[in-house]
């Protein structure tokens, strides 16, 4: 068993909170540049110009690119030969979030109770997904998620007879209804299969893939292309002002499921598709 | 791109010159307010009590800024989703508010109220929060400090860029823009 002290996890998490919110990934910046070149709407082009300048300011001044620094979402791949010592893994992650959001001047956006709605003041609780994998390392993926785009999520238990077309139509129609709300150009995470809670998890996890990297199964890579094309025909455009680029990418994750249905979830990310990784 | 320039306080006549799709630069004073602050304002309006700020002719920006780093006026400060304010917006427009700044679509009731009370709904670029913060020259909390990022702040802005979404004539840029670029 390899021992990893919780202190190291907390330190890494605190750093990751700041990094993800200050530094937009090169994959997203590159997608902005390509999209700006093919956008026909003058207002749409102006939006891309503002987003690129915004990312430059955030990087240079080490300030968050968006004031909504999100719910702190973590995907943890915990090697089965790792022994976490010195404390509680979940608490170590929450402590890292507390520290990172405070030291980094990031906005604290979490409330303690969904109805009483009192801000916790430290962006806790983090949302932590742990998967046990072979090996003696821990892989941490941090993906802060803004509330505006998160509110534009949907889940439907489709019927087997709905098939491929049913999935495509559900996702496209949902993006149409979301319009300008999730801060287009959007990145669309789609989870297909598993069950009720797993398809939602897959949709969120799909957003952490490098932007525009196609699914390894050609059938789903084709489905990603088809959904992307249909979304971009909607005309919603950057910020919903009208234009050719409504979505930058569609990422699908799939899992086997029960004979009775096709659980399908859509999780939309705004253009600030932030995520950072660490392997300890 | 042709840009109009506006500053509060605004008159009905100035509002009637604005059209959906216009790009504008705002300078001068604007106030911040999100759902929690709106809820309190509307409760006071319903009770007939005095509001902590005079809304007549003014501009409200839907924003919950990030904390300011030392030496900075304000943290990153992009618009939040406007639909959450829909329930409160007609009441504040009735009090004389002329411009609200946010992002995303509005309800039928809000669009009707914009026409009735002669006001406009404009959008700033969602997510351009570090860039927008640079346009904010002064910021002070003027009400509801206990709401933290949701407190009402008085901001002084210079060349704050926005686009008119819903004008006082019933036009809607989100609908028109999507129609113009839609491919059937």
């Amino acid at each position: 068993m390899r021992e990893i002290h919780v202190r190291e996890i907390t330190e890494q998490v605190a750093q990751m909170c700041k990094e993800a919110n200050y530094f937009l990934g090169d994959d997203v910046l590159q997608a902005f540049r390509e999209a700006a070149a093919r956008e026909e709407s003058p207002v749409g082009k102006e939006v891309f110009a503002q987003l690129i300048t915004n990312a430059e300011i955030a990087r240079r001044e080490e300030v968050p690119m968006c004031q909504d620094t999100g719910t702190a979402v973590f995907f943890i791949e915990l090697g089965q030969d790792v022994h976490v010592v010195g404390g509680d893994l979940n608490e170590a992650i929450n402590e890292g979030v507390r520290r990172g959001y405070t030291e980094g001047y990031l906005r604290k956006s979490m409330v303690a109770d969904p109805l009483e709605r009192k801000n916790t003041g430290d962006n806790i609780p983090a949302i932590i997904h742990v998967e046990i994998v072979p090996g003696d390392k821990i892989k941490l993926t941090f993906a802060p998620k803004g509330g505006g785009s998160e509110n534009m999520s949907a889940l439907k238990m489709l019927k087997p007879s709905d098939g491929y077309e049913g999935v495509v139509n559900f996702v496209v129609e949902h993006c149409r209804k979301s319009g300008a709300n999730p801060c287009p150009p959007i990145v669309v995470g789609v989870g297909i299969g598993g069950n009720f809670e797993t398809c939602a998890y897959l949709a969120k996890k799909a957003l952490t893939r490098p932007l525009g990297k196609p699914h390894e199964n050609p059938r789903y890579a084709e489905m990603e292309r088809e959904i992307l094309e249909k979304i971009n025909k909607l005309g919603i455009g950057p910020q919903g002002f009208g234009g050719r680029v409504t979505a930058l990418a569609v990422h699908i994750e799939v899992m086997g499921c029960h004979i009775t249905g096709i659980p399908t979830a859509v999780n939309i990310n705004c253009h600030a598709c932030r995520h950072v990784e660490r392997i300890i | 791109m042709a840009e109009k320039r506006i500053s509060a306080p605004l008159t009905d006549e100035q509002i009637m010159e604005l059209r959906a799709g216009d790009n504008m630069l705002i300078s001068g004073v604007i106030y911040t307010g999100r759902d929690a602050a709106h809820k309190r304002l509307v409760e006071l309006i319903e009770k007939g009590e005095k509001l902590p700020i005079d809304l007549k002719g003014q501009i409200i920006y839907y924003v919950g800024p990030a904390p300011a780093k030392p030496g900075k006026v304000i943290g990153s400060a992009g618009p939040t989703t406007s639909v959450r304010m829909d329930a409160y917006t007609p009441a504040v427009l009735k009090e004389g508010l002329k411009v609200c700044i946010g992002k995303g679509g509005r309800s039928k009731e809000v669009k009707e109220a914009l026409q009735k009370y002669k006001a406009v709904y404009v959008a700033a670029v969602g997510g351009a929060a570090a860039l927008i913060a640079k346009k904010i020259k002064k910021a002070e909390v003027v009400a509801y400090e206990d709401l933290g990022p949701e407190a009402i702040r008085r901001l002084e802005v210079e060349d704050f860029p926005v686009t008119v979404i819903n004008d006082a004539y019933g036009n809607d840029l989100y609908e028109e823009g999507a129609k113009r670029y839609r491919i059937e």
Side-chain angles (χ1 to χ4, degrees), chain A residues 12-81:
Chain A
Q12 294 289 352
V13 165
Q15 278 301 323
M16 291 167 86
C17 291
K18 291 183 254 184
E19 256 172 53
N21 280 297
Y22 298 161
F23 311 132
L24 187 62
D26 288 336
D27 54 342
V28 183
L29 267 173
Q30 187 54 30
F32 284 174
R33 291 192 197 102
E34 286 167 16
R38 69 174 184 277
E39 180 54 67
E40 293 168 22
S41 141
V43 197
K45 277 189 183 294
E46 168 62 22
V47 169
F48 283 114
Q50 286 196 27
L51 294 181
I52 291 167
T53 308
N54 184 67
E56 287 165 358
I57 295 171
R59 174 172 289 274
R60 188 172 64 235
E61 300 188 5
E62 301 200 352
V63 294
M65 64 192 83
C66 180
Q67 78 290 340
D68 188 349
T69 48
T71 297
V73 181
F74 289 86
F75 294 95
I76 313 285
E77 289 180 21
L78 178 63
Q80 62 194 20
D81 297 325

Side-chain angles (χ1 to χ4, degrees), chain B residues 91-147:
Chain B
V92 289
L93 292 174
K94 195 177 173 195
E95 289 296 307
L97 182 75
K98 285 294 169 204
V99 180
C100 19
I101 310 170
K103 57 136 178 139
R106 307 306 303 260
S107 67
K108 192 167 149 278
E109 290 73 20
V110 170
K111 293 182 206 173
E112 285 169 2
L114 290 168
Q115 287 182 258
K116 183 172 174 191
Y117 301 115
K118 297 192 170 61
V120 293
Y121 166 56
V122 307
V125 172
L131 174 67
I132 291 172
K134 296 235 165 249
K135 312 290 181 186
I136 301 171
K137 305 300 173 188
K138 256 178 105 172
E140 56 169 336
V141 173
V142 291
Y144 310 144
E145 190 154 16
D146 61 299
L147 294 179

Side-chain angles (χ1 to χ4, degrees), chain A residues 22 39-43 46-47 50-51 53-54 57-58 60-67 104-108 119 148 151 180-183 232-236 239-244 271, chain B residues 1 23 34 63-70 72 76-81 83-84 103-105 123-132 134 149 161 163 165 173-174 177-178 180-183:
Chain A
Y22 298 161
E39 180 54 67
E40 293 168 22
S41 141
V43 197
E46 168 62 22
V47 169
Q50 286 196 27
L51 294 181
T53 308
N54 184 67
I57 295 171
R60 188 172 64 235
E61 300 188 5
E62 301 200 352
V63 294
M65 64 192 83
C66 180
Q67 78 290 340
Y105 295 91
L106 306 178
R107 198 181 78 184
K108 290 80 180 173
N119 197 303
N151 280 346
N181 286 359
C183 280
N232 283 333
K233 281 183 177 171
L234 294 172
I236 294 167
Q239 293 296 306
F241 297 158
R244 296 285 171 234
H271 51 76
Chain B
M1 214 173 296
N23 290 304
R34 294 169 43 114
V63 61
K69 273 192 158 179
K72 299 234 182 214
S76 298
T80 194
T81 313
V83 70
R84 296 196 317 273
K103 57 136 178 139
V125 172
L131 174 67
I132 291 172
K134 296 235 165 249
T163 302
I165 303 298
L173 177 67
Y174 289 142
R180 194 173 314 139
Y181 289 95
R182 186 178 304 141
I183 299 168

Side-chain angles (χ1 to χ4, degrees), chain A residues 37-280:
Chain A
R38 69 174 184 277
E39 180 54 67
E40 293 168 22
S41 141
V43 197
K45 277 189 183 294
E46 168 62 22
V47 169
F48 283 114
Q50 286 196 27
L51 294 181
I52 291 167
T53 308
N54 184 67
E56 287 165 358
I57 295 171
R59 174 172 289 274
R60 188 172 64 235
E61 300 188 5
E62 301 200 352
V63 294
M65 64 192 83
C66 180
Q67 78 290 340
D68 188 349
T69 48
T71 297
V73 181
F74 289 86
F75 294 95
I76 313 285
E77 289 180 21
L78 178 63
Q80 62 194 20
D81 297 325
V82 171
H83 182 201
V84 176
V85 297
D88 173 331
L89 173 65
N90 287 301
E91 180 42 35
I93 293 169
N94 275 317
E95 179 56 26
V97 169
R98 239 174 239 135
R99 228 182 264 176
Y101 274 71
T102 307
E103 292 168 1
Y105 295 91
L106 306 178
R107 198 181 78 184
K108 290 80 180 173
S109 310
M110 301 299 282
V111 295
D113 180 285
L115 295 179
E116 286 172 19
R117 309 206 65 78
K118 190 172 162 18
N119 197 303
T120 57
D122 52 12
N123 219 46
I124 299 299
I127 308 282
I128 305 166
H129 303 289
V130 181
E131 209 177 311
I132 308 289
V133 298
D136 64 354
K137 293 187 166 52
I138 300 181
K139 183 178 168 193
L140 305 164
T141 303
F142 170 57
K145 184 66 164 66
S149 62
E150 187 72 0
N151 280 346
M152 296 294 112
S153 303
L155 192 153
K156 196 168 181 187
M157 304 305 276
L158 293 167
K159 296 186 294 297
S161 62
D162 293 324
Y164 185 101
E165 284 309 306
V167 172
V168 171
N169 292 341
F170 167 57
V171 178
V172 174
E173 178 56 17
H174 178 68
C175 292
R176 189 191 63 75
K177 282 192 290 199
S178 299
N181 286 359
C183 280
I186 53 176
V187 180
V188 185
V190 183
I192 311 171
N195 60 0
F196 177 73
E197 79 274 14
T198 311
C199 68
Y201 167 76
L202 291 174
K204 172 67 52 55
K205 200 174 179 193
L207 295 171
T208 64
R209 204 194 291 165
L211 198 69
K213 185 181 173 212
H215 196 282
E216 54 195 25
N217 177 332
R219 179 185 172 84
Y220 289 107
E222 174 55 29
M223 192 184 230
E224 289 173 340
R225 275 195 298 276
E226 185 178 337
I227 293 174
L228 179 63
E229 196 183 313
K230 287 191 166 162
I231 292 171
N232 283 333
K233 281 183 177 171
L234 294 172
I236 294 167
Q239 293 296 306
F241 297 158
R244 296 285 171 234
V245 186
T246 302
L248 296 170
V250 175
H251 293 172
I252 294 173
E253 291 291 330
V254 298
M255 190 181 178
C257 63
H258 195 270
I259 50 175
T260 52
I262 314 174
T264 305
V266 186
N267 192 224
I268 298 183
N269 209 114
C270 60
H271 51 76
C273 196
R274 300 161 279 193
H275 41 90
V276 290
E277 288 177 8
R278 285 283 200 291
I279 295 172
I280 302 176

